[in-house]
Amino acid sequence: MAVDYMTVFWNLASGRETVSLINVYKRIPISYPATIINVGESAIQVITEKYQLVCLYHERETFIQSPELSDIIFSKVLGLDPAASTAILGEFEVVTKTIGERREVRVCPKMPIEGEVQSEDLADTYRGEMADISQNGLGIYLDERDFYPRVYRPGRKLTVCFKLPGTYQVLERKNYAYASSQSGSESRFDRSSLRFSAIHQPKPNPEPANIRRLVSPEISVNGVVANSMPLESQRRHRIGIRLYPDEFGRMIISQFISQRQSEIIQEINSVYQLISQGE
């Protein structure tokens, strides 16, 4: 850690100016301001928000960003006092890779969600497990026995079918036909029953929208392979997919992400209550 950065930290502390701490909790980026309240020879003490403290507690590291810093700084958490909302950061390193490029909120499922993947190159479908999902992207795990480099190379078209847990509300118009499965029904992954088509019938005065309540709907979403990564210790591959959902799929995915965000925020609050009490 160059002395110049410690000087910047000292100047920021003197002016009571804030820095941003950057962490990721269960795929959700968490970034809150932190005020430097003490500067030592090789470490700083900061005060920040409870959500950030939970990330520091779990990850034992963070990234520091400020307009006054020419680089993003990686640091280890050397000490933590949740009751006082403070942390001691040290072992600084300049980050050589880009942090925070992803703009979309991405969440991982609370419980495993399995679905089926079909490539344009194969007639058969293969079972996969959701790794994470955003409004326009999906990460899915595929068993190494079902992974074919030629089939899952970037740019190849895929169709992914999966069933999202929870309750959803969709706007239903007469000019849209939706097929969905309700909670408790058998998950068949039949391609004809999973296809949600939008049949456009222009009208000068469209029918008013009705709100329809769906429980654990099954959806089919088209996409293209963005990347793939072998996970040798798990004997599977992670496939990154760029999604192109229709209107129905977009509504369901958006609500699923919102629900998971709420659950994760509640979890962070619960964890904070525990660690702030010294448990």
PDB file of all heavy atoms in Angstrom, residues 14 23 30 44 63-64 71 89 100 115 128 132 142-143 159 164 169-170 178 214 230 245 249 252-253 255 260 272:
ATOM      1  N   SER A  14      -9.930  13.993   7.928  1.00  0.00           N
ATOM      2  CA  SER A  14      -9.885  15.359   8.446  1.00  0.00           C
ATOM      3  C   SER A  14     -11.088  16.169   7.973  1.00  0.00           C
ATOM      4  O   SER A  14     -11.620  17.004   8.719  1.00  0.00           O
ATOM      5  CB  SER A  14      -8.587  16.050   8.002  1.00  0.00           C
ATOM      6  OG  SER A  14      -7.462  15.355   8.507  1.00  0.00           O
ATOM      7  N   ASN A  23     -19.515  -4.267  -1.537  1.00  0.00           N
ATOM      8  CA  ASN A  23     -19.555  -5.706  -1.274  1.00  0.00           C
ATOM      9  C   ASN A  23     -20.680  -6.334  -2.072  1.00  0.00           C
ATOM     10  O   ASN A  23     -21.520  -5.633  -2.641  1.00  0.00           O
ATOM     11  CB  ASN A  23     -19.778  -6.002   0.215  1.00  0.00           C
ATOM     12  CG  ASN A  23     -18.570  -5.696   1.066  1.00  0.00           C
ATOM     13  OD1 ASN A  23     -18.366  -4.550   1.475  1.00  0.00           O
ATOM     14  ND2 ASN A  23     -17.760  -6.698   1.339  1.00  0.00           N
ATOM     15  N   ILE A  30     -23.979  -4.452  -2.527  1.00  0.00           N
ATOM     16  CA  ILE A  30     -24.269  -3.603  -1.372  1.00  0.00           C
ATOM     17  C   ILE A  30     -23.189  -2.530  -1.302  1.00  0.00           C
ATOM     18  O   ILE A  30     -21.999  -2.845  -1.219  1.00  0.00           O
ATOM     19  CB  ILE A  30     -24.269  -4.410  -0.056  1.00  0.00           C
ATOM     20  CG1 ILE A  30     -25.249  -5.586  -0.130  1.00  0.00           C
ATOM     21  CG2 ILE A  30     -24.579  -3.510   1.125  1.00  0.00           C
ATOM     22  CD1 ILE A  30     -26.702  -5.205  -0.148  1.00  0.00           C
ATOM     23  N   ILE A  44      -7.228   1.803   8.805  1.00  0.00           N
ATOM     24  CA  ILE A  44      -8.175   2.879   9.068  1.00  0.00           C
ATOM     25  C   ILE A  44      -9.384   2.301   9.807  1.00  0.00           C
ATOM     26  O   ILE A  44      -9.693   1.114   9.701  1.00  0.00           O
ATOM     27  CB  ILE A  44      -8.646   3.574   7.779  1.00  0.00           C
ATOM     28  CG1 ILE A  44      -9.357   2.568   6.844  1.00  0.00           C
ATOM     29  CG2 ILE A  44      -7.486   4.250   7.075  1.00  0.00           C
ATOM     30  CD1 ILE A  44      -9.951   3.196   5.593  1.00  0.00           C
ATOM     31  N   PHE A  63     -14.239  -3.396  -0.765  1.00  0.00           N
ATOM     32  CA  PHE A  63     -13.560  -2.535  -1.731  1.00  0.00           C
ATOM     33  C   PHE A  63     -13.896  -1.092  -1.392  1.00  0.00           C
ATOM     34  O   PHE A  63     -15.047  -0.765  -1.095  1.00  0.00           O
ATOM     35  CB  PHE A  63     -13.996  -2.862  -3.160  1.00  0.00           C
ATOM     36  CG  PHE A  63     -13.601  -4.241  -3.610  1.00  0.00           C
ATOM     37  CD1 PHE A  63     -14.439  -5.326  -3.378  1.00  0.00           C
ATOM     38  CD2 PHE A  63     -12.392  -4.463  -4.247  1.00  0.00           C
ATOM     39  CE1 PHE A  63     -14.086  -6.601  -3.785  1.00  0.00           C
ATOM     40  CE2 PHE A  63     -12.023  -5.734  -4.638  1.00  0.00           C
ATOM     41  CZ  PHE A  63     -12.864  -6.807  -4.416  1.00  0.00           C
ATOM     42  N   ILE A  64     -12.901  -0.236  -1.452  1.00  0.00           N
ATOM     43  CA  ILE A  64     -13.061   1.171  -1.094  1.00  0.00           C
ATOM     44  C   ILE A  64     -12.972   2.017  -2.352  1.00  0.00           C
ATOM     45  O   ILE A  64     -12.029   1.879  -3.143  1.00  0.00           O
ATOM     46  CB  ILE A  64     -11.971   1.614  -0.093  1.00  0.00           C
ATOM     47  CG1 ILE A  64     -11.978   0.712   1.142  1.00  0.00           C
ATOM     48  CG2 ILE A  64     -12.165   3.072   0.307  1.00  0.00           C
ATOM     49  CD1 ILE A  64     -10.810   0.958   2.080  1.00  0.00           C
ATOM     50  N   ASP A  71      -7.592   4.895  -7.644  1.00  0.00           N
ATOM     51  CA  ASP A  71      -7.881   3.480  -7.873  1.00  0.00           C
ATOM     52  C   ASP A  71      -8.901   2.996  -6.854  1.00  0.00           C
ATOM     53  O   ASP A  71      -9.115   3.620  -5.813  1.00  0.00           O
ATOM     54  CB  ASP A  71      -6.614   2.626  -7.730  1.00  0.00           C
ATOM     55  CG  ASP A  71      -5.524   3.025  -8.702  1.00  0.00           C
ATOM     56  OD1 ASP A  71      -5.687   2.747  -9.896  1.00  0.00           O
ATOM     57  OD2 ASP A  71      -4.515   3.618  -8.249  1.00  0.00           O
ATOM     58  N   LEU A  89     -10.130  -1.514   8.827  1.00  0.00           N
ATOM     59  CA  LEU A  89      -9.745  -2.028   7.521  1.00  0.00           C
ATOM     60  C   LEU A  89      -8.253  -1.866   7.320  1.00  0.00           C
ATOM     61  O   LEU A  89      -7.670  -0.845   7.692  1.00  0.00           O
ATOM     62  CB  LEU A  89     -10.505  -1.294   6.406  1.00  0.00           C
ATOM     63  CG  LEU A  89     -12.035  -1.225   6.540  1.00  0.00           C
ATOM     64  CD1 LEU A  89     -12.620  -0.404   5.408  1.00  0.00           C
ATOM     65  CD2 LEU A  89     -12.639  -2.618   6.587  1.00  0.00           C
ATOM     66  N   GLY A 100     -17.761  -3.839 -10.088  1.00  0.00           N
ATOM     67  CA  GLY A 100     -19.075  -3.218 -10.219  1.00  0.00           C
ATOM     68  C   GLY A 100     -19.511  -2.897 -11.629  1.00  0.00           C
ATOM     69  O   GLY A 100     -20.312  -1.993 -11.853  1.00  0.00           O
ATOM     70  N   GLY A 115     -34.608 -26.769 -13.741  1.00  0.00           N
ATOM     71  CA  GLY A 115     -35.350 -26.543 -14.971  1.00  0.00           C
ATOM     72  C   GLY A 115     -34.737 -27.370 -16.077  1.00  0.00           C
ATOM     73  O   GLY A 115     -33.876 -28.216 -15.837  1.00  0.00           O
ATOM     74  N   GLY A 128     -30.981 -28.637 -15.611  1.00  0.00           N
ATOM     75  CA  GLY A 128     -30.009 -27.728 -15.029  1.00  0.00           C
ATOM     76  C   GLY A 128     -30.541 -27.128 -13.751  1.00  0.00           C
ATOM     77  O   GLY A 128     -31.738 -27.231 -13.450  1.00  0.00           O
ATOM     78  N   ASP A 132     -28.159 -18.120 -10.574  1.00  0.00           N
ATOM     79  CA  ASP A 132     -28.631 -16.773 -10.265  1.00  0.00           C
ATOM     80  C   ASP A 132     -29.392 -16.250 -11.466  1.00  0.00           C
ATOM     81  O   ASP A 132     -29.349 -16.824 -12.556  1.00  0.00           O
ATOM     82  CB  ASP A 132     -27.472 -15.841  -9.885  1.00  0.00           C
ATOM     83  CG  ASP A 132     -26.322 -15.907 -10.874  1.00  0.00           C
ATOM     84  OD1 ASP A 132     -26.592 -15.898 -12.087  1.00  0.00           O
ATOM     85  OD2 ASP A 132     -25.160 -15.978 -10.455  1.00  0.00           O
ATOM     86  N   LEU A 142     -24.946 -26.971 -15.142  1.00  0.00           N
ATOM     87  CA  LEU A 142     -25.212 -28.130 -15.968  1.00  0.00           C
ATOM     88  C   LEU A 142     -24.199 -29.207 -15.621  1.00  0.00           C
ATOM     89  O   LEU A 142     -23.001 -28.935 -15.516  1.00  0.00           O
ATOM     90  CB  LEU A 142     -25.097 -27.747 -17.445  1.00  0.00           C
ATOM     91  CG  LEU A 142     -25.824 -28.602 -18.476  1.00  0.00           C
ATOM     92  CD1 LEU A 142     -27.334 -28.507 -18.281  1.00  0.00           C
ATOM     93  CD2 LEU A 142     -25.457 -28.147 -19.888  1.00  0.00           C
ATOM     94  N   ASP A 143     -24.674 -30.432 -15.426  1.00  0.00           N
ATOM     95  CA  ASP A 143     -23.787 -31.548 -15.116  1.00  0.00           C
ATOM     96  C   ASP A 143     -22.751 -31.708 -16.217  1.00  0.00           C
ATOM     97  O   ASP A 143     -23.053 -31.525 -17.401  1.00  0.00           O
ATOM     98  CB  ASP A 143     -24.600 -32.832 -14.969  1.00  0.00           C
ATOM     99  CG  ASP A 143     -23.777 -33.972 -14.386  1.00  0.00           C
ATOM    100  OD1 ASP A 143     -23.005 -34.588 -15.147  1.00  0.00           O
ATOM    101  OD2 ASP A 143     -23.915 -34.244 -13.178  1.00  0.00           O
ATOM    102  N   THR A 159     -33.264 -22.456 -25.109  1.00  0.00           N
ATOM    103  CA  THR A 159     -34.547 -22.227 -24.457  1.00  0.00           C
ATOM    104  C   THR A 159     -34.465 -22.852 -23.075  1.00  0.00           C
ATOM    105  O   THR A 159     -34.049 -24.005 -22.929  1.00  0.00           O
ATOM    106  CB  THR A 159     -35.709 -22.867 -25.238  1.00  0.00           C
ATOM    107  OG1 THR A 159     -35.770 -22.281 -26.542  1.00  0.00           O
ATOM    108  CG2 THR A 159     -37.038 -22.618 -24.524  1.00  0.00           C
ATOM    109  N   LEU A 164     -40.787 -20.943 -11.080  1.00  0.00           N
ATOM    110  CA  LEU A 164     -40.351 -20.037 -10.030  1.00  0.00           C
ATOM    111  C   LEU A 164     -41.306 -20.102  -8.845  1.00  0.00           C
ATOM    112  O   LEU A 164     -42.521 -19.928  -9.011  1.00  0.00           O
ATOM    113  CB  LEU A 164     -40.280 -18.600 -10.553  1.00  0.00           C
ATOM    114  CG  LEU A 164     -39.165 -18.313 -11.554  1.00  0.00           C
ATOM    115  CD1 LEU A 164     -39.254 -16.878 -12.043  1.00  0.00           C
ATOM    116  CD2 LEU A 164     -37.800 -18.590 -10.948  1.00  0.00           C
ATOM    117  N   GLN A 169     -48.361 -11.530  -9.592  1.00  0.00           N
ATOM    118  CA  GLN A 169     -49.502 -10.860 -10.181  1.00  0.00           C
ATOM    119  C   GLN A 169     -49.117 -10.394 -11.577  1.00  0.00           C
ATOM    120  O   GLN A 169     -48.068  -9.773 -11.765  1.00  0.00           O
ATOM    121  CB  GLN A 169     -49.942  -9.669  -9.328  1.00  0.00           C
ATOM    122  CG  GLN A 169     -50.536 -10.060  -7.981  1.00  0.00           C
ATOM    123  CD  GLN A 169     -51.046  -8.866  -7.206  1.00  0.00           C
ATOM    124  OE1 GLN A 169     -50.645  -7.729  -7.456  1.00  0.00           O
ATOM    125  NE2 GLN A 169     -51.939  -9.104  -6.271  1.00  0.00           N
ATOM    126  N   VAL A 170     -49.967 -10.705 -12.539  1.00  0.00           N
ATOM    127  CA  VAL A 170     -49.699 -10.286 -13.912  1.00  0.00           C
ATOM    128  C   VAL A 170     -50.906  -9.537 -14.447  1.00  0.00           C
ATOM    129  O   VAL A 170     -52.037  -9.759 -14.015  1.00  0.00           O
ATOM    130  CB  VAL A 170     -49.388 -11.491 -14.829  1.00  0.00           C
ATOM    131  CG1 VAL A 170     -48.129 -12.191 -14.366  1.00  0.00           C
ATOM    132  CG2 VAL A 170     -50.559 -12.465 -14.886  1.00  0.00           C
ATOM    133  N   TYR A 178     -52.103 -16.614 -21.815  1.00  0.00           N
ATOM    134  CA  TYR A 178     -51.077 -17.117 -20.917  1.00  0.00           C
ATOM    135  C   TYR A 178     -51.394 -18.553 -20.520  1.00  0.00           C
ATOM    136  O   TYR A 178     -52.528 -18.866 -20.178  1.00  0.00           O
ATOM    137  CB  TYR A 178     -50.998 -16.281 -19.636  1.00  0.00           C
ATOM    138  CG  TYR A 178     -50.564 -14.865 -19.862  1.00  0.00           C
ATOM    139  CD1 TYR A 178     -51.191 -13.818 -19.172  1.00  0.00           C
ATOM    140  CD2 TYR A 178     -49.560 -14.556 -20.759  1.00  0.00           C
ATOM    141  CE1 TYR A 178     -50.794 -12.508 -19.376  1.00  0.00           C
ATOM    142  CE2 TYR A 178     -49.158 -13.252 -20.966  1.00  0.00           C
ATOM    143  CZ  TYR A 178     -49.775 -12.240 -20.275  1.00  0.00           C
ATOM    144  OH  TYR A 178     -49.396 -10.950 -20.476  1.00  0.00           O
ATOM    145  N   LEU A 214     -50.941 -15.706  -9.900  1.00  0.00           N
ATOM    146  CA  LEU A 214     -50.354 -16.988 -10.268  1.00  0.00           C
ATOM    147  C   LEU A 214     -49.489 -17.500  -9.124  1.00  0.00           C
ATOM    148  O   LEU A 214     -48.774 -16.728  -8.485  1.00  0.00           O
ATOM    149  CB  LEU A 214     -49.495 -16.852 -11.528  1.00  0.00           C
ATOM    150  CG  LEU A 214     -50.191 -16.351 -12.799  1.00  0.00           C
ATOM    151  CD1 LEU A 214     -49.191 -16.221 -13.926  1.00  0.00           C
ATOM    152  CD2 LEU A 214     -51.324 -17.285 -13.197  1.00  0.00           C
ATOM    153  N   PRO A 230     -16.049 -24.071 -16.290  1.00  0.00           N
ATOM    154  CA  PRO A 230     -16.038 -25.374 -15.628  1.00  0.00           C
ATOM    155  C   PRO A 230     -15.882 -25.226 -14.119  1.00  0.00           C
ATOM    156  O   PRO A 230     -15.103 -24.395 -13.645  1.00  0.00           O
ATOM    157  CB  PRO A 230     -14.828 -26.073 -16.246  1.00  0.00           C
ATOM    158  CG  PRO A 230     -13.924 -24.957 -16.655  1.00  0.00           C
ATOM    159  CD  PRO A 230     -14.814 -23.815 -17.042  1.00  0.00           C
ATOM    160  N   PRO A 245     -36.651 -12.460 -22.610  1.00  0.00           N
ATOM    161  CA  PRO A 245     -37.999 -12.890 -22.186  1.00  0.00           C
ATOM    162  C   PRO A 245     -39.092 -12.107 -22.892  1.00  0.00           C
ATOM    163  O   PRO A 245     -38.904 -10.956 -23.292  1.00  0.00           O
ATOM    164  CB  PRO A 245     -37.994 -12.597 -20.683  1.00  0.00           C
ATOM    165  CG  PRO A 245     -37.024 -11.471 -20.526  1.00  0.00           C
ATOM    166  CD  PRO A 245     -35.965 -11.685 -21.568  1.00  0.00           C
ATOM    167  N   GLY A 249     -42.828 -13.362 -19.257  1.00  0.00           N
ATOM    168  CA  GLY A 249     -41.617 -13.794 -18.566  1.00  0.00           C
ATOM    169  C   GLY A 249     -40.928 -12.654 -17.853  1.00  0.00           C
ATOM    170  O   GLY A 249     -40.428 -12.807 -16.738  1.00  0.00           O
ATOM    171  N   ILE A 252     -42.770 -11.890 -14.554  1.00  0.00           N
ATOM    172  CA  ILE A 252     -42.549 -12.894 -13.522  1.00  0.00           C
ATOM    173  C   ILE A 252     -41.136 -12.799 -12.966  1.00  0.00           C
ATOM    174  O   ILE A 252     -40.920 -12.821 -11.744  1.00  0.00           O
ATOM    175  CB  ILE A 252     -42.818 -14.309 -14.083  1.00  0.00           C
ATOM    176  CG1 ILE A 252     -44.282 -14.451 -14.517  1.00  0.00           C
ATOM    177  CG2 ILE A 252     -42.464 -15.368 -13.048  1.00  0.00           C
ATOM    178  CD1 ILE A 252     -45.284 -14.290 -13.402  1.00  0.00           C
ATOM    179  N   ILE A 253     -40.146 -12.682 -13.851  1.00  0.00           N
ATOM    180  CA  ILE A 253     -38.751 -12.599 -13.409  1.00  0.00           C
ATOM    181  C   ILE A 253     -38.537 -11.359 -12.549  1.00  0.00           C
ATOM    182  O   ILE A 253     -37.865 -11.405 -11.514  1.00  0.00           O
ATOM    183  CB  ILE A 253     -37.801 -12.602 -14.624  1.00  0.00           C
ATOM    184  CG1 ILE A 253     -37.830 -13.968 -15.308  1.00  0.00           C
ATOM    185  CG2 ILE A 253     -36.372 -12.255 -14.194  1.00  0.00           C
ATOM    186  CD1 ILE A 253     -37.081 -14.018 -16.632  1.00  0.00           C
ATOM    187  N   GLN A 255     -40.685  -9.785 -10.662  1.00  0.00           N
ATOM    188  CA  GLN A 255     -41.273  -9.970  -9.333  1.00  0.00           C
ATOM    189  C   GLN A 255     -40.476 -10.966  -8.502  1.00  0.00           C
ATOM    190  O   GLN A 255     -40.360 -10.804  -7.281  1.00  0.00           O
ATOM    191  CB  GLN A 255     -42.730 -10.422  -9.479  1.00  0.00           C
ATOM    192  CG  GLN A 255     -43.646  -9.334 -10.019  1.00  0.00           C
ATOM    193  CD  GLN A 255     -45.070  -9.808 -10.196  1.00  0.00           C
ATOM    194  OE1 GLN A 255     -45.718 -10.242  -9.238  1.00  0.00           O
ATOM    195  NE2 GLN A 255     -45.580  -9.731 -11.414  1.00  0.00           N
ATOM    196  N   ARG A 260     -36.939 -11.852  -3.841  1.00  0.00           N
ATOM    197  CA  ARG A 260     -35.674 -12.319  -3.268  1.00  0.00           C
ATOM    198  C   ARG A 260     -34.920 -11.161  -2.610  1.00  0.00           C
ATOM    199  O   ARG A 260     -34.291 -11.348  -1.553  1.00  0.00           O
ATOM    200  CB  ARG A 260     -34.797 -12.951  -4.350  1.00  0.00           C
ATOM    201  CG  ARG A 260     -35.166 -14.364  -4.697  1.00  0.00           C
ATOM    202  CD  ARG A 260     -35.013 -15.302  -3.498  1.00  0.00           C
ATOM    203  NE  ARG A 260     -33.617 -15.459  -3.103  1.00  0.00           N
ATOM    204  CZ  ARG A 260     -33.219 -15.511  -1.848  1.00  0.00           C
ATOM    205  NH1 ARG A 260     -34.072 -15.364  -0.848  1.00  0.00           N
ATOM    206  NH2 ARG A 260     -31.930 -15.679  -1.553  1.00  0.00           N
ATOM    207  N   TYR A 272     -27.788  -8.807  11.401  1.00  0.00           N
ATOM    208  CA  TYR A 272     -27.280  -7.634  12.133  1.00  0.00           C
ATOM    209  C   TYR A 272     -27.713  -7.665  13.594  1.00  0.00           C
ATOM    210  O   TYR A 272     -26.924  -7.336  14.487  1.00  0.00           O
ATOM    211  CB  TYR A 272     -27.756  -6.347  11.465  1.00  0.00           C
ATOM    212  CG  TYR A 272     -27.297  -5.115  12.212  1.00  0.00           C
ATOM    213  CD1 TYR A 272     -25.981  -4.684  12.124  1.00  0.00           C
ATOM    214  CD2 TYR A 272     -28.181  -4.405  13.025  1.00  0.00           C
ATOM    215  CE1 TYR A 272     -25.560  -3.561  12.827  1.00  0.00           C
ATOM    216  CE2 TYR A 272     -27.756  -3.289  13.733  1.00  0.00           C
ATOM    217  CZ  TYR A 272     -26.444  -2.884  13.621  1.00  0.00           C
ATOM    218  OH  TYR A 272     -26.024  -1.794  14.331  1.00  0.00           O
TER     219      TYR A 272
END
